[in-house]
Amino acid sequence: MATGVRKSWLFRNVNAKIAALPMVLTTLVVFVGGTIWTVVYSFTNSKLLPRADFVGLAQYERLWANSRWMQSIENLAVYGAFALVFTIVIGFLLAVLMDQKIRYEDTFRTIMLYPFALSFIVTGLVWQWILNPEFGIQSIVRSIGFESFTFDPLYNPDIVMFGLLIAGMWQGTGFIMCIMLAGLRGIDEDIWKATKVDGIPTWKTYIIVIIPMMRAVFITVLVLVTSGIIKLYDLVVAQTSGGPGLASQVPAMYVYDYLFTAQNLGQGLAASTMMLLSVLIVLIPWAYLEFGGKKNG
Amino acid sequence: MKIWKLAAALCASVALPSVAMATDCEVTHWWTSGGEAAAVGELAKAFDASGDKWIDGAIAGSGGTARPIMISRITGGDPMCATQFNHGQQALELVQAGLMQDLTDVAEANNWKETVFPPDLLDACTVDGKIYCAPVNIHSPEWLWLSNKVYEDLGMPVPKNWNEFVASAPAVEAAGKIPLALGNQSWQSNLAFGAITVAIGGIDLWKAVNLNKDMAAAAGPEMLTVFQAAAEARKLAAKSTVQDWNQATNLVITDQAAGQIMGDWAQGEFQVAGEVAGKDYTCLPGLGVNKFLSTGGDAFYFPLNTDPEITAAQKRLAALLVTPEVQVAFNLKKGSLPIRGDVDLAAANDCMKQGLEILAAGNIVPGGDQVWSPDVQTQLGDLQVEFWKSQDMTAEAAQAKYVEILTAGL
């Protein structure tokens, strides 16, 4: 009897299950398998080629004693904090402006979204030239007549992360705006009519009514932006390659350099395991809110 | 019928190249600057003339970008016909894993043991008594390149050594020029530091630290003076804002900077720009202080292939690379020194002749890639770029970290 029940469960929707099988296998082997492999080999002293010679936590001890890694984390924290706040605030404000039933909305939306169609490498190179003191903004302003004007964020270790931030936001904000705009359009017109009737000012309506209603959109945006921050890599490579000095190093660059250039697989995998951990710290609360919340509601 | 014809044509277009008479040989390398590309063209020309076909697989960026691509192709089962590495420990694990073609028979047939000079180049290719690479050139990083025009404009004589260069720096700076051009990438800081070690610390100190791995010497007061000299040098390079080495060389060529510490490959750039050694620019091997050069350089490795035709082509290419004619043609364009002592470089310019004299006198030490693993080299690069680009890291702090990295890499 019991086997009969299980069979019918197993063979229900059999076509759909067969169709999903390749994806399930890919997920298990490539994503889950690859992740487990990474974590396991981060406890070995593998050099260029993987070797199952376990050394315990030695790679992690070395990692956390390394000043370049510490600096990378610090840089990422600075970049992340500013990117998170500014992308979401500016993205939302732009979406609100778009939502005012303006003329040529399509055109503006397209312009705002165009940077997102570029790869980070292109964005990085473009902004490398714009921010270059010899060719970019600085030289233009100087040629107008302000001889002492200085704006060279990419060559000043103290503010180089802000040079990256400018480029990162130029690229990412338009996309966040579009998601926010979709969220705003999802709000029922009747809500607006009701607040108008009650005489609540528009700005107040946004803050106390609309934003709480867009909770799911904000959480999605939060996860998208945060995971984008943690894997920040190509923008830095194209714009500064981690310089000047180590001033714009990020964890992903450390991982790449130790995996490949330094031929120290164990060290690189230990660093990437730490990155995985930080992604999980972001993802688990999100998954809890998204899926756990539905059950209760 | 039409479709069948089309399909046949498509099949043929795929199949035909492999049945062509000459064997195609894909060669990957990271020689992409003007001078380098001209030099690699000489290799391709010689190989094509011998009846095979050189498929150029240049990878832009630098060795740091190119090597991971090459290694992942080899370990991923898509080996190229031949690939550049710096001889030393970069490809050591690939050889140990049995992924490289053994060239011992080629080496014996062409008598490499007697002709390759200095002999430690061949030692660097040798693992367990078998030879796995064909060295093609010697590159030494310990050179100071100076723009004569910068000094002429100032009415000063061109410095003859590092100390004079440092003394002249305030005047250069007052004229609005950069005293020392230095790219932002970590290996360039590491290179500059290595050159200063040989020049300021002397050859005995260099050998004690890097060959005998004497950690007491690395932590000693002599090494501290080297770090202090580097701390002085970083002030001279503070205004240099370029990334790549050839952009830094370009600052010297266009007389925006007075000098650059860079390997002899910089010479190719001066040549492409039409500058003449001794007249437009001056070169000081060993920074003009200690005329010692380290013999790093490039070599070609031949990943193991299943196709016997490719294996045969690999061996033909290996033999060709070491022949005197190819050595002369290639190294003249590249600005590097040949790997054999018996070739005539009458056409060599002023700088190469200085290098050849030092080589002939035997004032040589092995290159950094031969004595330390890539892991240690990367960490040293990280340390040096941090030290050179920050203006507040002290010489003592940098030295302490230096000793720590070397000790861990023993």
Side-chain angles (χ1 to χ4, degrees):
Chain A
M1 195 56 198
T3 49
V5 170
R6 205 178 298 149
K7 251 187 185 174
S8 75
W9 169 82
L10 205 63
F11 287 103
R12 211 185 302 151
N13 279 335
V14 77
N15 286 346
K17 277 180 183 139
I18 289 171
L21 207 60
M23 196 55 225
V24 171
L25 282 180
T26 313
T27 309
L28 285 181
V29 175
V30 178
F31 294 111
V32 180
T35 308
I36 291 170
W37 190 90
T38 301
V39 176
V40 168
Y41 275 89
S42 73
F43 295 104
T44 68
N45 68 352
S46 305
K47 292 292 181 193
L48 176 61
L49 303 170
R51 224 178 2 209
D53 181 6
F54 290 92
V55 291
L57 288 171
Q59 298 286 11
Y60 290 90
E61 279 161 19
R62 180 176 150 185
L63 181 69
W64 287 102
N66 186 306
S67 65
R68 177 175 162 192
W69 174 254
M70 298 310 283
Q71 168 124 40
S72 305
I73 302 266
E74 203 178 292
N75 287 341
L76 195 68
V78 170
Y79 178 90
F82 282 94
L84 198 62
V85 173
F86 281 119
T87 327
I88 292 180
V89 170
I90 296 175
F92 182 72
L93 287 178
L94 285 174
V96 168
L97 292 178
M98 284 287 171
D99 202 30
Q100 305 306 309
K101 306 207 167 56
I102 52 169
R103 206 180 286 177
Y104 305 122
E105 188 202 310
D106 293 356
T107 316
F108 282 114
R109 214 170 45 205
T110 311
I111 292 173
M112 294 290 189
L113 200 54
Y114 254 124
F116 189 67
L118 298 178
S119 84
F120 256 141
I121 296 288
V122 178
T123 307
L125 286 175
V126 167
W127 280 94
Q128 190 197 329
W129 288 109
I130 296 178
L131 298 176
N132 187 308
E134 316 276 315
F135 310 99
I137 296 176
Q138 179 176 315
S139 82
I140 292 171
V141 175
R142 279 189 184 182
S143 69
I144 297 171
F146 301 93
E147 287 296 328
S148 62
F149 179 80
T150 312
F151 186 65
D152 56 349
L154 297 188
Y155 300 102
N156 182 343
D158 299 328
I159 54 170
V160 63
M161 289 317 289
F162 295 96
L164 292 171
L165 195 62
I166 295 172
M169 302 222 329
W170 177 79
Q171 196 196 35
T173 314
F175 177 59
I176 298 305
M177 178 206 77
C178 277
I179 296 178
M180 295 279 196
L181 190 57
L184 285 174
R185 293 281 151 84
I187 305 283
D188 201 329
E189 278 293 308
D190 293 342
I191 305 267
W192 280 108
K193 284 174 190 160
T195 57
K196 287 265 159 60
V197 169
D198 285 345
I200 304 172
T202 313
W203 64 269
K204 217 171 178 180
T205 312
Y206 272 115
I207 292 172
I208 59 175
V209 180
I210 306 296
I211 291 181
M213 286 181 77
M214 283 171 65
R215 205 203 71 184
V217 173
F218 271 91
I219 289 171
T220 308
V221 166
L222 196 72
V223 170
L224 281 176
V225 174
T226 322
S227 59
I229 290 167
I230 290 169
K231 66 177 196 210
L232 177 70
Y233 172 75
D234 26 14
L235 185 67
V236 185
V237 170
Q239 239 184 315
T240 64
S241 41
L246 299 175
S248 61
Q249 288 287 338
V250 287
M253 280 188 83
Y254 185 93
V255 172
Y256 179 85
D257 277 359
Y258 277 88
L259 278 185
F260 300 108
T261 314
Q263 304 183 354
N264 191 338
L265 211 55
Q267 180 68 178
L269 293 178
S272 66
T273 305
M274 295 317 298
M275 284 180 69
L276 173 73
L277 211 61
S278 54
V279 174
L280 287 182
I281 289 172
V282 177
L283 273 181
I284 288 173
W286 169 76
Y288 183 77
L289 279 171
E290 280 288 282
F291 303 116
K294 262 179 205 159
K295 245 178 238 164
N296 301 337
Chain B
M1 275 315 277
K2 226 179 183 176
I3 290 171
W4 282 115
K5 269 186 191 160
L6 198 66
L10 275 175
C11 287
S13 70
V14 176
L16 270 179
S18 64
V19 295
M21 290 297 286
T23 311
D24 287 353
C25 185
E26 188 197 3
V27 187
T28 53
H29 58 84
W30 57 85
W31 286 324
T32 50
S33 81
E36 292 172 338
V40 88
E42 291 293 332
L43 295 182
K45 212 164 71 189
F47 192 56
D48 288 351
S50 73
D52 290 301
K53 183 133 182 50
W54 174 287
I55 310 281
D56 202 61
I59 301 171
S62 63
T65 314
R67 282 191 294 271
I69 300 172
M70 295 163 174
I71 290 169
S72 56
R73 273 191 61 182
I74 296 167
T75 53
D78 177 26
M80 61 296 279
C81 175
T83 183
Q84 175 199 5
F85 279 107
N86 296 120
H87 39 58
Q89 300 192 15
Q90 283 171 356
L92 184 64
E93 272 198 59
L94 294 175
V95 171
Q96 284 168 345
L99 292 167
M100 289 296 181
Q101 179 69 41
D102 178 6
L103 301 173
T104 313
D105 52 341
V106 181
E108 274 167 8
N110 294 288
N111 209 9
W112 286 5
K113 276 234 157 65
E114 262 89 77
T115 49
V116 173
F117 178 84
D120 66 339
L121 291 179
L122 206 56
D123 295 344
C125 284
T126 310
V127 179
D128 298 331
K130 288 179 184 161
I131 292 168
Y132 287 94
C133 66
V136 289
N137 62 4
I138 301 171
H139 268 310
S140 44
E142 295 91 354
W143 294 74
L144 179 62
W145 304 89
L146 299 167
S147 159
N148 287 8
K149 185 157 185 302
V150 168
Y151 290 98
E152 272 165 30
D153 289 352
L154 288 169
M156 294 167 75
V158 178
K160 286 187 197 62
N161 58 48
W162 176 251
N163 298 326
E164 285 183 30
F165 173 76
V166 174
S168 76
V172 173
E173 204 149 30
K177 313 242 164 156
I178 304 164
L180 185 66
L182 177 70
N184 273 335
Q185 291 157 348
S186 59
W187 66 269
Q188 298 181 46
S189 305
N190 201 20
L191 179 146
F193 180 78
I196 291 177
T197 311
V198 172
I200 306 291
I203 197 67
D204 295 330
L205 178 66
W206 195 96
K207 281 186 174 162
V209 174
N210 293 294
L211 288 185
N212 305 334
K213 322 253 169 186
D214 177 358
M215 289 305 120
E222 282 182 23
M223 203 66 208
L224 184 62
T225 57
V226 173
F227 272 95
Q228 280 159 349
E232 284 299 308
R234 73 182 173 188
K235 287 185 199 147
L236 309 183
K239 291 212 175 73
S240 170
T241 55
V242 290
Q243 289 284 357
D244 291 315
W245 69 267
N246 49 340
Q247 291 172 332
T249 310
N250 195 45
L251 290 178
V252 180
I253 292 173
T254 55
D255 308 313
Q256 297 175 53
Q260 182 194 15
I261 300 177
M262 187 40 64
D264 50 10
W265 50 90
Q267 180 154 260
E269 298 301 299
F270 284 100
Q271 248 165 26
V272 168
E275 300 227 322
V276 179
K279 189 166 140 281
D280 300 313
Y281 67 97
T282 301
C283 52
L284 299 173
L287 308 189
V289 185
N290 276 314
K291 297 208 169 179
F292 274 86
L293 295 177
S294 63
T295 53
D298 301 296
F300 276 95
Y301 286 77
F302 300 86
L304 214 55
N305 251 288
T306 45
D307 186 346
E309 266 185 52
I310 291 200
T311 306
Q314 286 177 327
K315 292 190 171 172
R316 285 199 295 274
L317 178 58
L320 181 82
L321 291 172
V322 183
T323 57
E325 303 76 43
V326 171
Q327 278 294 310
V328 171
F330 172 75
N331 285 306
L332 281 179
K333 285 268 165 70
K334 186 82 164 66
S336 50
L337 303 175
I339 49 107
R340 41 198 299 162
D342 59 350
V343 295
D344 178 28
L345 279 184
N349 68 19
D350 197 31
C351 291
M352 283 178 79
K353 281 193 178 129
Q354 288 191 46
L356 284 171
E357 277 166 29
I358 293 170
L359 203 61
N363 290 341
I364 45 176
V365 290
D369 290 323
Q370 281 156 266
V371 288
W372 296 107
S373 71
D375 190 20
V376 171
Q377 289 282 58
T378 305
Q379 293 183 71
L380 288 180
D382 289 350
L383 168 66
Q384 293 300 344
V385 78
E386 189 181 1
F387 178 56
W388 282 76
K389 289 293 166 182
S390 83
Q391 298 295 336
D392 47 7
M393 187 178 190
T394 63
E396 287 81 4
Q399 190 185 15
K401 273 192 170 180
Y402 176 75
V403 175
E404 199 181 299
I405 292 169
L406 292 190
T407 313
L410 283 180

